[in-house]
PDB file of all heavy atoms in Angstrom:
ATOM      1  N   PRO A 135     119.957 109.811 123.952  1.00  0.00           N
ATOM      2  CA  PRO A 135     120.194 108.963 125.129  1.00  0.00           C
ATOM      3  C   PRO A 135     120.223 109.765 126.443  1.00  0.00           C
ATOM      4  O   PRO A 135     120.729 110.892 126.470  1.00  0.00           O
ATOM      5  CB  PRO A 135     121.562 108.325 124.852  1.00  0.00           C
ATOM      6  CG  PRO A 135     122.176 109.165 123.827  1.00  0.00           C
ATOM      7  CD  PRO A 135     121.084 109.891 123.087  1.00  0.00           C
ATOM      8  N   GLY A 136     119.681 109.166 127.508  1.00  0.00           N
ATOM      9  CA  GLY A 136     119.706 109.814 128.822  1.00  0.00           C
ATOM     10  C   GLY A 136     121.014 109.508 129.539  1.00  0.00           C
ATOM     11  O   GLY A 136     121.878 108.732 129.041  1.00  0.00           O
ATOM     12  N   LYS A 137     121.192 110.082 130.687  1.00  0.00           N
ATOM     13  CA  LYS A 137     122.422 109.904 131.463  1.00  0.00           C
ATOM     14  C   LYS A 137     122.625 108.464 131.909  1.00  0.00           C
ATOM     15  O   LYS A 137     123.749 108.017 132.052  1.00  0.00           O
ATOM     16  CB  LYS A 137     122.429 110.832 132.690  1.00  0.00           C
ATOM     17  CG  LYS A 137     122.498 112.287 132.322  1.00  0.00           C
ATOM     18  CD  LYS A 137     122.437 113.184 133.543  1.00  0.00           C
ATOM     19  CE  LYS A 137     122.447 114.638 133.117  1.00  0.00           C
ATOM     20  NZ  LYS A 137     122.363 115.539 134.284  1.00  0.00           N
ATOM     21  N   ASP A 138     121.552 107.759 132.114  1.00  0.00           N
ATOM     22  CA  ASP A 138     121.640 106.385 132.573  1.00  0.00           C
ATOM     23  C   ASP A 138     122.003 105.371 131.463  1.00  0.00           C
ATOM     24  O   ASP A 138     122.322 104.235 131.720  1.00  0.00           O
ATOM     25  CB  ASP A 138     120.395 105.904 133.303  1.00  0.00           C
ATOM     26  CG  ASP A 138     119.176 105.876 132.376  1.00  0.00           C
ATOM     27  OD1 ASP A 138     119.290 106.213 131.164  1.00  0.00           O
ATOM     28  OD2 ASP A 138     118.079 105.570 132.872  1.00  0.00           O
ATOM     29  N   GLY A 139     121.865 105.802 130.223  1.00  0.00           N
ATOM     30  CA  GLY A 139     122.167 104.941 129.081  1.00  0.00           C
ATOM     31  C   GLY A 139     121.087 103.902 128.814  1.00  0.00           C
ATOM     32  O   GLY A 139     121.173 103.146 127.846  1.00  0.00           O
ATOM     33  N   GLN A 140     120.048 103.858 129.621  1.00  0.00           N
ATOM     34  CA  GLN A 140     118.953 102.923 129.443  1.00  0.00           C
ATOM     35  C   GLN A 140     117.720 103.537 128.849  1.00  0.00           C
ATOM     36  O   GLN A 140     116.906 102.833 128.258  1.00  0.00           O
ATOM     37  CB  GLN A 140     118.581 102.310 130.833  1.00  0.00           C
ATOM     38  CG  GLN A 140     119.680 101.579 131.488  1.00  0.00           C
ATOM     39  CD  GLN A 140     120.124 100.336 130.717  1.00  0.00           C
ATOM     40  OE1 GLN A 140     119.286  99.556 130.296  1.00  0.00           O
ATOM     41  NE2 GLN A 140     121.426 100.139 130.556  1.00  0.00           N
ATOM     42  N   HIS A 141     117.551 104.809 129.008  1.00  0.00           N
ATOM     43  CA  HIS A 141     116.350 105.537 128.530  1.00  0.00           C
ATOM     44  C   HIS A 141     116.743 106.591 127.508  1.00  0.00           C
ATOM     45  O   HIS A 141     117.881 107.114 127.557  1.00  0.00           O
ATOM     46  CB  HIS A 141     115.600 106.165 129.683  1.00  0.00           C
ATOM     47  CG  HIS A 141     115.013 105.164 130.605  1.00  0.00           C
ATOM     48  ND1 HIS A 141     115.730 104.608 131.650  1.00  0.00           N
ATOM     49  CD2 HIS A 141     113.788 104.608 130.620  1.00  0.00           C
ATOM     50  CE1 HIS A 141     114.952 103.767 132.293  1.00  0.00           C
ATOM     51  NE2 HIS A 141     113.742 103.760 131.702  1.00  0.00           N
ATOM     52  N   TYR A 142     115.840 106.881 126.651  1.00  0.00           N
ATOM     53  CA  TYR A 142     116.041 107.900 125.607  1.00  0.00           C
ATOM     54  C   TYR A 142     114.847 108.844 125.667  1.00  0.00           C
ATOM     55  O   TYR A 142     113.729 108.406 125.985  1.00  0.00           O
ATOM     56  CB  TYR A 142     116.125 107.264 124.222  1.00  0.00           C
ATOM     57  CG  TYR A 142     117.284 106.317 124.017  1.00  0.00           C
ATOM     58  CD1 TYR A 142     117.294 105.033 124.544  1.00  0.00           C
ATOM     59  CD2 TYR A 142     118.405 106.773 123.331  1.00  0.00           C
ATOM     60  CE1 TYR A 142     118.373 104.224 124.358  1.00  0.00           C
ATOM     61  CE2 TYR A 142     119.486 105.938 123.105  1.00  0.00           C
ATOM     62  CZ  TYR A 142     119.457 104.636 123.625  1.00  0.00           C
ATOM     63  OH  TYR A 142     120.531 103.819 123.452  1.00  0.00           O
ATOM     64  N   SER A 143     115.077 110.117 125.313  1.00  0.00           N
ATOM     65  CA  SER A 143     113.938 111.048 125.330  1.00  0.00           C
ATOM     66  C   SER A 143     114.181 112.269 124.505  1.00  0.00           C
ATOM     67  O   SER A 143     115.365 112.490 124.054  1.00  0.00           O
ATOM     68  CB  SER A 143     113.600 111.475 126.763  1.00  0.00           C
ATOM     69  OG  SER A 143     114.677 112.226 127.312  1.00  0.00           O
ATOM     70  N   ARG A 144     113.158 113.056 124.299  1.00  0.00           N
ATOM     71  CA  ARG A 144     113.282 114.358 123.660  1.00  0.00           C
ATOM     72  C   ARG A 144     112.036 115.176 123.992  1.00  0.00           C
ATOM     73  O   ARG A 144     110.957 114.607 124.187  1.00  0.00           O
ATOM     74  CB  ARG A 144     113.508 114.306 122.184  1.00  0.00           C
ATOM     75  CG  ARG A 144     112.317 113.855 121.320  1.00  0.00           C
ATOM     76  CD  ARG A 144     112.621 114.002 119.813  1.00  0.00           C
ATOM     77  NE  ARG A 144     111.737 113.201 119.018  1.00  0.00           N
ATOM     78  CZ  ARG A 144     110.614 113.645 118.485  1.00  0.00           C
ATOM     79  NH1 ARG A 144     110.201 114.859 118.704  1.00  0.00           N
ATOM     80  NH2 ARG A 144     109.836 112.822 117.756  1.00  0.00           N
ATOM     81  N   ALA A 145     112.221 116.474 124.045  1.00  0.00           N
ATOM     82  CA  ALA A 145     111.099 117.337 124.291  1.00  0.00           C
ATOM     83  C   ALA A 145     110.354 117.543 122.977  1.00  0.00           C
ATOM     84  O   ALA A 145     110.968 117.642 121.921  1.00  0.00           O
ATOM     85  CB  ALA A 145     111.582 118.680 124.851  1.00  0.00           C
ATOM     86  N   THR A 146     109.036 117.632 123.063  1.00  0.00           N
ATOM     87  CA  THR A 146     108.189 117.946 121.905  1.00  0.00           C
ATOM     88  C   THR A 146     107.387 119.201 122.272  1.00  0.00           C
ATOM     89  O   THR A 146     107.489 119.704 123.382  1.00  0.00           O
ATOM     90  CB  THR A 146     107.217 116.806 121.591  1.00  0.00           C
ATOM     91  OG1 THR A 146     106.227 116.729 122.613  1.00  0.00           O
ATOM     92  CG2 THR A 146     107.945 115.470 121.459  1.00  0.00           C
ATOM     93  N   LYS A 147     106.596 119.665 121.331  1.00  0.00           N
ATOM     94  CA  LYS A 147     105.748 120.847 121.581  1.00  0.00           C
ATOM     95  C   LYS A 147     104.734 120.519 122.683  1.00  0.00           C
ATOM     96  O   LYS A 147     104.243 121.428 123.333  1.00  0.00           O
ATOM     97  CB  LYS A 147     105.041 121.281 120.335  1.00  0.00           C
ATOM     98  CG  LYS A 147     106.024 121.899 119.266  1.00  0.00           C
ATOM     99  CD  LYS A 147     105.281 122.294 118.038  1.00  0.00           C
ATOM    100  CE  LYS A 147     106.275 122.881 117.032  1.00  0.00           C
ATOM    101  NZ  LYS A 147     105.599 123.252 115.773  1.00  0.00           N
ATOM    102  N   LEU A 148     104.368 119.278 122.795  1.00  0.00           N
ATOM    103  CA  LEU A 148     103.360 118.889 123.782  1.00  0.00           C
ATOM    104  C   LEU A 148     103.924 118.514 125.150  1.00  0.00           C
ATOM    105  O   LEU A 148     103.325 118.811 126.149  1.00  0.00           O
ATOM    106  CB  LEU A 148     102.550 117.683 123.297  1.00  0.00           C
ATOM    107  CG  LEU A 148     101.568 117.919 122.161  1.00  0.00           C
ATOM    108  CD1 LEU A 148     100.963 116.586 121.756  1.00  0.00           C
ATOM    109  CD2 LEU A 148     100.483 118.873 122.632  1.00  0.00           C
ATOM    110  N   GLY A 149     105.029 117.772 125.131  1.00  0.00           N
ATOM    111  CA  GLY A 149     105.579 117.243 126.374  1.00  0.00           C
ATOM    112  C   GLY A 149     106.905 116.561 126.125  1.00  0.00           C
ATOM    113  O   GLY A 149     107.715 117.004 125.298  1.00  0.00           O
ATOM    114  N   VAL A 150     107.068 115.424 126.815  1.00  0.00           N
ATOM    115  CA  VAL A 150     108.342 114.658 126.646  1.00  0.00           C
ATOM    116  C   VAL A 150     107.992 113.279 126.084  1.00  0.00           C
ATOM    117  O   VAL A 150     107.122 112.587 126.577  1.00  0.00           O
ATOM    118  CB  VAL A 150     109.023 114.501 128.046  1.00  0.00           C
ATOM    119  CG1 VAL A 150     110.261 113.657 127.914  1.00  0.00           C
ATOM    120  CG2 VAL A 150     109.384 115.879 128.602  1.00  0.00           C
ATOM    121  N   LEU A 151     108.729 112.923 125.079  1.00  0.00           N
ATOM    122  CA  LEU A 151     108.612 111.607 124.409  1.00  0.00           C
ATOM    123  C   LEU A 151     109.797 110.811 124.885  1.00  0.00           C
ATOM    124  O   LEU A 151     110.960 111.263 124.777  1.00  0.00           O
ATOM    125  CB  LEU A 151     108.628 111.783 122.911  1.00  0.00           C
ATOM    126  CG  LEU A 151     108.253 110.568 122.070  1.00  0.00           C
ATOM    127  CD1 LEU A 151     106.877 110.087 122.343  1.00  0.00           C
ATOM    128  CD2 LEU A 151     108.430 110.891 120.606  1.00  0.00           C
ATOM    129  N   SER A 152     109.547 109.618 125.433  1.00  0.00           N
ATOM    130  CA  SER A 152     110.671 108.818 125.954  1.00  0.00           C
ATOM    131  C   SER A 152     110.510 107.360 125.609  1.00  0.00           C
ATOM    132  O   SER A 152     109.383 106.886 125.388  1.00  0.00           O
ATOM    133  CB  SER A 152     110.775 108.973 127.486  1.00  0.00           C
ATOM    134  OG  SER A 152     109.578 108.565 128.112  1.00  0.00           O
ATOM    135  N   ALA A 153     111.616 106.648 125.573  1.00  0.00           N
ATOM    136  CA  ALA A 153     111.628 105.216 125.304  1.00  0.00           C
ATOM    137  C   ALA A 153     112.362 104.517 126.449  1.00  0.00           C
ATOM    138  O   ALA A 153     113.391 105.022 126.898  1.00  0.00           O
ATOM    139  CB  ALA A 153     112.298 104.918 123.975  1.00  0.00           C
ATOM    140  N   GLY A 154     111.880 103.376 126.821  1.00  0.00           N
ATOM    141  CA  GLY A 154     112.479 102.585 127.859  1.00  0.00           C
ATOM    142  C   GLY A 154     111.861 101.229 127.896  1.00  0.00           C
ATOM    143  O   GLY A 154     111.184 100.822 126.910  1.00  0.00           O
ATOM    144  N   THR A 155     112.014 100.532 128.981  1.00  0.00           N
ATOM    145  CA  THR A 155     111.421  99.197 129.138  1.00  0.00           C
ATOM    146  C   THR A 155     110.357  99.267 130.224  1.00  0.00           C
ATOM    147  O   THR A 155     110.618  99.761 131.322  1.00  0.00           O
ATOM    148  CB  THR A 155     112.501  98.169 129.510  1.00  0.00           C
ATOM    149  OG1 THR A 155     113.500  98.177 128.533  1.00  0.00           O
ATOM    150  CG2 THR A 155     111.909  96.771 129.571  1.00  0.00           C
ATOM    151  N   GLU A 156     109.178  98.824 129.922  1.00  0.00           N
ATOM    152  CA  GLU A 156     108.056  98.710 130.859  1.00  0.00           C
ATOM    153  C   GLU A 156     107.552  97.285 130.807  1.00  0.00           C
ATOM    154  O   GLU A 156     107.268  96.770 129.729  1.00  0.00           O
ATOM    155  CB  GLU A 156     106.902  99.658 130.475  1.00  0.00           C
ATOM    156  CG  GLU A 156     107.246 101.116 130.575  1.00  0.00           C
ATOM    157  CD  GLU A 156     107.301 101.616 132.003  1.00  0.00           C
ATOM    158  OE1 GLU A 156     106.635 101.035 132.860  1.00  0.00           O
ATOM    159  OE2 GLU A 156     108.036 102.576 132.267  1.00  0.00           O
ATOM    160  N   GLU A 157     107.432  96.678 131.960  1.00  0.00           N
ATOM    161  CA  GLU A 157     106.908  95.279 132.032  1.00  0.00           C
ATOM    162  C   GLU A 157     107.717  94.345 131.167  1.00  0.00           C
ATOM    163  O   GLU A 157     107.194  93.424 130.565  1.00  0.00           O
ATOM    164  CB  GLU A 157     105.429  95.246 131.667  1.00  0.00           C
ATOM    165  CG  GLU A 157     104.547  96.072 132.561  1.00  0.00           C
ATOM    166  CD  GLU A 157     103.119  96.066 132.113  1.00  0.00           C
ATOM    167  OE1 GLU A 157     102.697  95.230 131.281  1.00  0.00           O
ATOM    168  OE2 GLU A 157     102.347  96.893 132.656  1.00  0.00           O
ATOM    169  N   GLY A 158     109.044  94.613 131.005  1.00  0.00           N
ATOM    170  CA  GLY A 158     109.909  93.776 130.204  1.00  0.00           C
ATOM    171  C   GLY A 158     109.795  93.954 128.702  1.00  0.00           C
ATOM    172  O   GLY A 158     110.342  93.188 127.932  1.00  0.00           O
ATOM    173  N   VAL A 159     109.061  94.978 128.274  1.00  0.00           N
ATOM    174  CA  VAL A 159     108.823  95.246 126.836  1.00  0.00           C
ATOM    175  C   VAL A 159     109.258  96.687 126.561  1.00  0.00           C
ATOM    176  O   VAL A 159     109.034  97.574 127.350  1.00  0.00           O
ATOM    177  CB  VAL A 159     107.321  95.029 126.488  1.00  0.00           C
ATOM    178  CG1 VAL A 159     107.056  95.380 125.043  1.00  0.00           C
ATOM    179  CG2 VAL A 159     106.873  93.629 126.783  1.00  0.00           C
ATOM    180  N   THR A 160     109.786  96.887 125.354  1.00  0.00           N
ATOM    181  CA  THR A 160     110.110  98.261 124.945  1.00  0.00           C
ATOM    182  C   THR A 160     108.836  99.074 124.858  1.00  0.00           C
ATOM    183  O   THR A 160     107.854  98.603 124.299  1.00  0.00           O
ATOM    184  CB  THR A 160     110.805  98.230 123.571  1.00  0.00           C
ATOM    185  OG1 THR A 160     112.052  97.505 123.736  1.00  0.00           O
ATOM    186  CG2 THR A 160     111.129  99.632 123.066  1.00  0.00           C
ATOM    187  N   ALA A 161     108.879 100.277 125.435  1.00  0.00           N
ATOM    188  CA  ALA A 161     107.713 101.103 125.441  1.00  0.00           C
ATOM    189  C   ALA A 161     108.068 102.554 125.077  1.00  0.00           C
ATOM    190  O   ALA A 161     109.123 103.055 125.418  1.00  0.00           O
ATOM    191  CB  ALA A 161     107.079 101.109 126.856  1.00  0.00           C
ATOM    192  N   LEU A 162     107.163 103.192 124.337  1.00  0.00           N
ATOM    193  CA  LEU A 162     107.303 104.607 123.988  1.00  0.00           C
ATOM    194  C   LEU A 162     106.245 105.334 124.795  1.00  0.00           C
ATOM    195  O   LEU A 162     105.070 104.963 124.805  1.00  0.00           O
ATOM    196  CB  LEU A 162     107.029 104.833 122.507  1.00  0.00           C
ATOM    197  CG  LEU A 162     107.114 106.252 122.052  1.00  0.00           C
ATOM    198  CD1 LEU A 162     108.593 106.728 122.049  1.00  0.00           C
ATOM    199  CD2 LEU A 162     106.524 106.408 120.690  1.00  0.00           C
ATOM    200  N   THR A 163     106.673 106.407 125.502  1.00  0.00           N
ATOM    201  CA  THR A 163     105.757 107.147 126.360  1.00  0.00           C
ATOM    202  C   THR A 163     105.780 108.606 126.047  1.00  0.00           C
ATOM    203  O   THR A 163     106.811 109.219 125.963  1.00  0.00           O
ATOM    204  CB  THR A 163     106.134 106.954 127.857  1.00  0.00           C
ATOM    205  OG1 THR A 163     106.134 105.568 128.146  1.00  0.00           O
ATOM    206  CG2 THR A 163     105.145 107.643 128.781  1.00  0.00           C
ATOM    207  N   CYS A 164     104.585 109.161 125.883  1.00  0.00           N
ATOM    208  CA  CYS A 164     104.408 110.586 125.726  1.00  0.00           C
ATOM    209  C   CYS A 164     103.831 111.107 127.033  1.00  0.00           C
ATOM    210  O   CYS A 164     102.744 110.673 127.433  1.00  0.00           O
ATOM    211  CB  CYS A 164     103.464 110.930 124.586  1.00  0.00           C
ATOM    212  SG  CYS A 164     103.004 112.680 124.485  1.00  0.00           S
ATOM    213  N   THR A 165     104.569 111.970 127.723  1.00  0.00           N
ATOM    214  CA  THR A 165     104.136 112.498 128.978  1.00  0.00           C
ATOM    215  C   THR A 165     103.893 113.989 128.833  1.00  0.00           C
ATOM    216  O   THR A 165     104.769 114.709 128.390  1.00  0.00           O
ATOM    217  CB  THR A 165     105.175 112.252 130.124  1.00  0.00           C
ATOM    218  OG1 THR A 165     105.487 110.841 130.130  1.00  0.00           O
ATOM    219  CG2 THR A 165     104.682 112.687 131.489  1.00  0.00           C
ATOM    220  N   ILE A 166     102.696 114.439 129.233  1.00  0.00           N
ATOM    221  CA  ILE A 166     102.299 115.819 129.086  1.00  0.00           C
ATOM    222  C   ILE A 166     101.947 116.381 130.440  1.00  0.00           C
ATOM    223  O   ILE A 166     101.076 115.861 131.139  1.00  0.00           O
ATOM    224  CB  ILE A 166     101.120 115.963 128.102  1.00  0.00           C
ATOM    225  CG1 ILE A 166     101.491 115.373 126.761  1.00  0.00           C
ATOM    226  CG2 ILE A 166     100.685 117.434 127.989  1.00  0.00           C
ATOM    227  CD1 ILE A 166     100.335 115.179 125.830  1.00  0.00           C
TER     228      ILE A 166
END
Side-chain angles (χ1 to χ4, degrees):
K137 292 179 184 178
D138 65 0
Q140 300 295 314
H141 294 85
Y142 296 79
S143 65
R144 72 173 160 91
T146 70
K147 291 179 181 178
L148 288 177
V150 176
L151 190 61
S152 59
T155 303
E156 294 285 334
E157 301 177 12
V159 177
T160 298
L162 179 72
T163 303
C164 171
T165 306
I166 301 167

